[in-house]
Amino acid sequence: MVKKQNMIYSIFKILIFMSLLLSINLSAEVNQRIVDELASPKPEIPLKNAMGEKAYNDAINSGRYRYVGNSKCRLCHRKFFIGRKNDPHDHSMESLVRTGYEKNSHCLTCHSTGHGTETGYVNEEWTPRLSNVQCEGCHGPGNVHIDMAKAKTRKREEFIEGGFLAGQDSPKVLKKMCTSCHTKRWNKSYHDLDKSYDTYKKADPKSSRYK
Amino acid sequence: MMSFIKKHAIPIILISLVFGISYLSYYNYKTQKNLLLQQMHNNSLNIASSISSAIERFHDIKSTMNLQKLVDDVSFGLEIFEFRYLESDGTIRNSMFKNEIGTILNSKSFVETMREDRKLKTFFFEVRDYVEVMSIYYPIYKGSQLVGIIDLAVDISEYNIKKDSKNNAPVLRRQDDILNLLKAMNGSITNSLEILTKTNINDFLYSYVKKSRHVRQISIIDNKQKVVASSDKLFLGRVLTGANSPSLGMNMIDGELKYLTIIDSFIDKDSSNMKLMLLTDASTYANHENKLLTTAASTSIIALLFALFTSRLIYYTAIEQSRKEKERLEHLVSIRTKEIELLSQTDALTGLWNRRHLEESLDIEFKRARRYNHDMSIMMIDLDHFKNINDTYGHMAGDEVLRQISTRIKECQRETDFIGRYGGEEIVVILPETDLETSAQIADSILKTIAAKPVKFESDSIPVTTSIGISCLRKEHSSYPMIFAEADEALYKAKENGRNRVEIFNPQES
């Protein structure tokens, strides 16, 4: 009886060991890119990378730009808001939570909105509404755009590109925003930048992509 | 043309002056009038803007409140995710999403709530637009009647990260905050509804008109010219087209001058094409305009009178001047005529009567003496050896001698005697009313006066003597040459008898 019990225990032990091995094996396979990423230098803040250091510093240091969160965008761009909720960008934080890297600044640079800037994402406690890659994640701070939209007399010439630092009028900067995070290592979601860029112009890119 | 202008320069200048002043005063009147009109129009615009802002406020009250503004103003700490004001049937009266105003809300939770599967005025959790939110349907009652529902949803994503935290203290605290806010909103909405039911836009306009001094009527007309609201209740519902439509500007209405303005798109809200029609009292304007017109007219009339007066004055002055000038000229002419007459009758050298005048006078005196049977004598005086004087002393001396002799003869002349130079050195004296005896005495004195002293010419002293022949009128004389010839004969005799003597014609001798 005791022998049998022992055998069962040992079988369990072997099973546990093997499953452990397997799991380590599997996770090792998945995490290789993370390991490589963490081993490489910390990526540049996407906006800084896209705009160039000088323009970025001038804009951010002027104190005029502030991240507001996409619920403000929703007031006017409700369709886009719903569309983005179907999009992996708006779930980018989930993979960090799953792997336990949700507090790693290295990862948050690309997985949150505006991390690394003064008004951008800090953590889930303080800035819950800037988690994930939102509208402002690609277009830059949105407060100026909102002020413009509210103003009765809009002086467009005062704010180029609708008040965004990476607005639709400068696709060069926008595309650089894409490639800032979607490097060779993480270039999972697209193969043709221009095609993907055009798809993302639509209100609901995912639904149009899978139609 | 130029001559015409020159001739009529003064009238032309005066007329142009009158016209100029008239035009200027008219221009001034026009400008002032336009200013007044502009001022009135501006006043109307001011009134319109004040009314439209009042009506805008009215509209604000009507749409319960500006939710958009509220969303911006209220800071919860919790983000307002959705905010609507619904009527009891679910029609969205106001929403933070402008494009859904007027549609009916048919979300699952709302339908459930209206089916009474879910309670009003309680918090629940649901997913809206893929976002987990905490919502509440808050009823607004008027009395016991449900008049509206506030639909409020807040984003609680920060609490979702920690699982099963929906009922924890922070969320409950937020719920209290939200309930307090909703209570306040409820109060303001019921207040607004109360005001709304009490206030009528027509009454508002009526009270506005009553309060203001110059506004007579305010109406709101839509794009089909129909009066939607008016301070004048009789006006309501009328369509202002054709003969009904009032003309802009001045109108005589009910015996009073009124100014009518229509201000377009005074309310931008609801994208309606409402216009504001404003009737203002223009009697003050009419007064001012009358005054201005009177001033302009009187200025012109004064200018005209002034011009007339001036022209009259100039005319009189000119007439007077020309009359004086004429008198002066006439006087001058008469003097000159006399001079010329004298010149034609006198001898240039001696100043005695010339031969022609002498003969005329002789003729007249002869005829008179004969007719009245009066005496008359003729004396013929001739210088002795005058030719010698001329030859010896020169012609200038001869002339001087003649002049001196003439003067000396004149000294002996009586007032009624005529002395004339008959020719060369011959001088004739007509002595009317004089008999031979008297004539002889006069001739004697002449002779003596001349011979008494020599004539002085430059350094020379020329001794002069004369011979005199006298004749007098007698019955047998029929014409003056006869008596003249007798005198001449007597002179010849005097010369023959040795000169420097007087000879009287003796009829017996011839």
Side-chain angles (χ1 to χ4, degrees):
Chain A
M1 191 61 192
V2 177
K3 262 192 176 176
K4 218 178 184 179
Q5 259 191 334
N6 277 343
M7 235 178 79
I8 294 166
Y9 268 120
S10 54
I11 290 164
F12 256 107
K13 275 176 185 169
I14 291 159
L15 270 173
I16 288 165
F17 181 72
M18 283 179 73
S19 64
L20 258 172
L21 266 177
L22 191 77
S23 69
I24 286 165
N25 233 15
L26 275 172
S27 62
E29 202 183 58
V30 172
N31 286 348
Q32 189 54 50
R33 287 198 298 177
I34 300 174
V35 171
D36 289 351
E37 177 63 49
L38 290 173
S40 56
K42 194 184 173 184
E44 187 63 276
I45 296 165
L47 197 59
K48 198 177 193 170
N49 186 38
M51 287 175 72
E53 195 167 346
K54 196 191 173 289
Y56 170 83
N57 282 337
D58 287 351
I60 294 298
N61 292 339
S62 72
R64 222 169 58 192
Y65 291 95
R66 186 159 45 75
Y67 286 96
V68 292
N70 61 358
S71 51
K72 294 274 193 269
C73 310
R74 180 173 164 269
L75 283 168
C76 298
H77 306 289
R78 199 176 172 190
K79 264 187 180 173
F80 275 89
F81 180 87
I82 294 166
R84 287 300 181 272
K85 286 290 169 189
N86 286 322
D87 181 64
H89 283 94
D90 213 323
H91 301 275
S92 58
M93 207 64 178
E94 285 165 21
S95 59
L96 289 192
V97 172
R98 205 170 54 232
T99 50
Y101 286 109
E102 78 261 33
K103 282 179 184 162
N104 189 317
S105 186
H106 189 116
C107 307
L108 285 169
T109 304
C110 279
H111 283 262
S112 71
T113 301
H115 181 74
T117 66
E118 205 175 323
T119 59
Y121 181 86
V122 179
N123 58 39
E124 228 24 64
E125 290 278 317
W126 295 358
T127 54
R129 255 167 297 285
L130 290 174
S131 60
N132 301 320
V133 178
Q134 304 178 357
C135 316
E136 292 167 298
C138 292
H139 289 294
N143 68 312
V144 175
H145 173 75
I146 290 169
D147 288 346
M148 276 175 66
K150 277 182 187 169
K152 276 177 183 170
T153 50
R154 296 182 194 180
K155 288 177 187 166
R156 203 185 162 80
E157 66 273 12
E158 281 182 18
F159 301 97
I160 47 158
E161 297 161 12
F164 287 118
L165 291 173
Q168 58 172 358
D169 293 332
S170 51
K172 263 190 185 171
V173 177
L174 259 180
K175 281 172 186 172
K176 226 172 172 184
M177 289 294 281
C178 299
T179 52
S180 294
C181 288
H182 293 287
T183 55
K184 243 181 183 178
R185 188 174 297 127
W186 304 107
N187 192 10
K188 250 179 160 182
S189 41
Y190 68 87
H191 302 284
D192 185 342
L193 176 64
D194 287 321
K195 200 179 154 194
S196 300
Y197 178 77
D198 287 340
T199 315
Y200 259 81
K201 278 184 182 170
K202 284 159 190 145
D204 187 355
K206 184 140 194 180
S207 61
S208 57
R209 192 146 51 135
Y210 290 100
K211 237 172 207 175
Chain B
M1 185 64 195
M2 278 313 288
S3 66
F4 178 82
I5 289 172
K6 266 183 194 163
K7 198 172 168 191
H8 300 284
I10 288 167
I12 286 170
I13 286 168
L14 285 173
I15 285 168
S16 41
L17 186 79
V18 170
F19 272 108
I21 288 170
S22 304
Y23 177 74
L24 274 180
S25 53
Y26 177 71
Y27 180 78
N28 181 40
Y29 158 74
K30 269 276 243 214
T31 323
Q32 298 267 16
K33 189 185 158 183
N34 282 343
L35 266 177
L36 279 177
L37 269 176
Q38 190 62 44
Q39 203 180 350
M40 225 160 73
H41 190 71
N42 285 347
N43 279 348
S44 299
L45 284 181
N46 282 346
I47 292 165
S49 83
S50 86
I51 289 169
S52 65
S53 70
I55 287 172
E56 215 168 296
R57 233 175 45 225
F58 201 74
H59 273 257
D60 272 355
I61 295 165
K62 220 171 178 176
S63 58
T64 63
M65 56 191 59
N66 191 337
L67 293 189
Q68 191 75 49
K69 199 166 174 286
L70 205 73
V71 171
D72 292 338
D73 291 351
V74 172
S75 82
F76 279 138
L78 279 177
E79 288 267 312
I80 290 180
F81 194 71
E82 278 178 18
F83 191 11
R84 297 183 180 89
Y85 181 75
L86 313 165
E87 279 172 16
S88 51
D89 62 352
T91 309
I92 300 169
R93 270 282 290 278
N94 204 341
S95 165
M96 60 196 273
F97 303 111
K98 277 181 182 164
N99 56 353
E100 65 174 25
I101 292 170
T103 60
I104 289 172
L105 184 69
N106 51 9
S107 74
K108 196 181 157 215
S109 62
F110 183 67
V111 173
E112 279 172 12
T113 309
M114 291 326 276
R115 273 211 315 260
E116 294 183 1
D117 291 352
R118 200 193 289 275
K119 271 188 185 170
L120 283 163
K121 215 172 176 178
T122 46
F123 287 97
F124 61 95
F125 299 93
E126 62 175 334
V127 175
R128 291 188 183 188
D129 287 357
Y130 301 100
V131 176
E132 284 196 61
V133 294
M134 181 168 72
S135 318
I136 186 171
Y137 290 107
Y138 191 92
I140 307 280
Y141 292 104
K142 200 175 137 194
S144 59
Q145 194 198 345
L146 179 72
V147 289
I149 299 161
I150 297 172
D151 169 21
L152 186 74
V154 291
D155 189 350
I156 48 155
S157 47
E158 70 258 51
Y159 301 108
N160 287 346
I161 302 298
K162 296 162 195 161
K163 296 291 175 199
D164 285 328
S165 59
K166 284 176 185 172
N167 291 318
N168 68 6
V171 174
L172 287 175
R173 214 167 43 239
R174 291 300 169 217
Q175 289 185 354
D176 281 346
D177 286 349
I178 293 165
L179 271 179
N180 282 336
L181 180 85
L182 285 169
K183 262 182 213 160
M185 270 196 244
N186 180 21
S188 99
I189 289 172
T190 40
N191 258 347
S192 303
L193 288 172
E194 197 125 322
I195 293 164
L196 195 66
T197 46
K198 273 185 193 164
T199 319
N200 178 302
I201 189 151
N202 293 318
D203 291 342
F204 163 73
L205 292 177
Y206 178 72
S207 67
Y208 192 98
V209 168
K210 240 190 156 180
K211 266 185 244 158
S212 92
R213 263 172 58 205
H214 294 298
V215 184
R216 288 286 173 269
Q217 193 200 68
I218 307 166
S219 303
I220 297 171
I221 48 180
D222 65 8
N223 52 358
K224 284 167 190 159
Q225 303 283 41
K226 193 182 166 194
V227 178
V228 190
S230 175
S231 61
D232 187 350
K233 286 199 170 91
L234 294 171
F235 228 62
L236 269 179
R238 262 195 225 174
V239 180
L240 302 173
T241 46
N244 249 342
S245 77
S247 59
L248 282 173
M250 291 299 162
N251 283 280
M252 269 310 267
I253 299 167
D254 302 333
E256 200 186 17
L257 190 67
K258 284 164 185 167
Y259 182 74
L260 190 132
T261 23
I262 289 181
I263 290 117
D264 284 343
S265 62
F266 79 105
I267 299 169
D268 277 341
K269 280 198 168 176
D270 312 330
S271 65
S272 63
N273 283 322
M274 294 292 189
K275 289 175 189 168
L276 193 71
M277 192 175 87
L278 211 65
L279 262 185
T280 40
D281 182 16
S283 53
T284 340
Y285 164 78
N287 271 345
H288 282 303
E289 204 213 312
N290 271 340
K291 272 180 202 164
L292 280 175
L293 190 65
T294 320
T295 314
S298 45
T299 313
S300 305
I301 287 167
I302 286 167
L304 188 69
L305 288 176
F306 176 77
L308 283 175
F309 178 73
T310 314
S311 62
R312 203 73 195 148
L313 206 68
I314 289 170
Y315 175 73
Y316 272 130
T317 317
I319 292 277
E320 183 66 18
Q321 218 164 35
S322 68
R323 196 178 63 78
K324 271 186 183 164
E325 184 63 21
K326 201 178 148 199
E327 266 177 15
R328 197 180 68 85
L329 279 177
E330 269 173 4
H331 182 66
L332 213 65
V333 165
S334 71
I335 289 169
R336 285 273 181 282
T337 315
K338 266 182 198 164
E339 276 174 7
I340 289 164
E341 220 169 63
L342 210 65
L343 277 176
S344 70
Q345 288 173 350
T346 52
D347 178 62
L349 182 66
T350 56
L352 303 174
W353 298 115
N354 60 16
R355 184 175 167 161
R356 192 166 61 84
H357 187 65
L358 189 75
E359 278 177 3
E360 275 170 14
S361 303
L362 187 56
D363 189 31
I364 289 165
E365 289 304 322
F366 175 80
K367 280 171 182 163
R368 183 183 299 153
R370 242 174 53 123
R371 181 180 172 85
Y372 299 111
N373 245 342
H374 285 184
D375 289 329
M376 188 190 98
S377 303
I378 286 180
M379 203 186 283
M380 201 168 266
I381 306 165
D382 191 78
L383 279 173
D384 296 335
H385 305 299
F386 186 64
K387 201 174 175 294
N388 287 352
I389 294 170
N390 270 339
D391 292 347
T392 315
Y393 302 101
H395 284 280
M396 297 292 277
D399 285 349
E400 183 55 32
V401 167
L402 269 175
R403 220 175 278 136
Q404 294 251 354
I405 294 303
S406 302
T407 315
R408 286 181 200 178
I409 292 169
K410 267 186 203 165
E411 280 165 20
C412 307
Q413 175 200 15
R414 301 170 307 173
E415 272 183 341
T416 49
D417 297 342
F418 284 92
I419 306 168
R421 188 173 170 209
Y422 193 70
E425 68 274 24
E426 277 187 343
I427 294 166
V428 175
V429 182
I430 302 163
L431 306 145
E433 311 282 337
T434 313
D435 54 14
L436 265 180
E437 219 170 305
T438 320
S439 327
Q441 278 171 17
I442 292 166
D444 251 6
S445 70
I446 288 171
L447 204 72
K448 275 168 190 157
T449 310
I450 291 170
K453 53 181 175 180
V455 172
K456 289 228 157 78
F457 179 69
E458 290 173 355
S459 56
D460 297 320
S461 178
I462 309 159
V464 191
T465 54
T466 48
S467 306
I468 301 174
I470 306 173
S471 170
C472 73
L473 181 68
R474 287 190 312 277
K475 283 204 177 83
E476 61 262 34
H477 290 143
S478 57
S479 65
Y480 75 87
M482 291 171 83
I483 188 172
F484 201 80
E486 284 178 4
D488 196 33
E489 208 170 302
L491 176 63
Y492 183 73
K493 203 173 158 192
K495 293 258 180 193
E496 254 188 355
N497 290 346
R499 294 187 168 92
N500 197 16
R501 53 180 289 125
V502 178
E503 282 295 335
I504 298 167
F505 178 76
N506 192 353
Q508 277 83 40
E509 276 178 16
S510 54

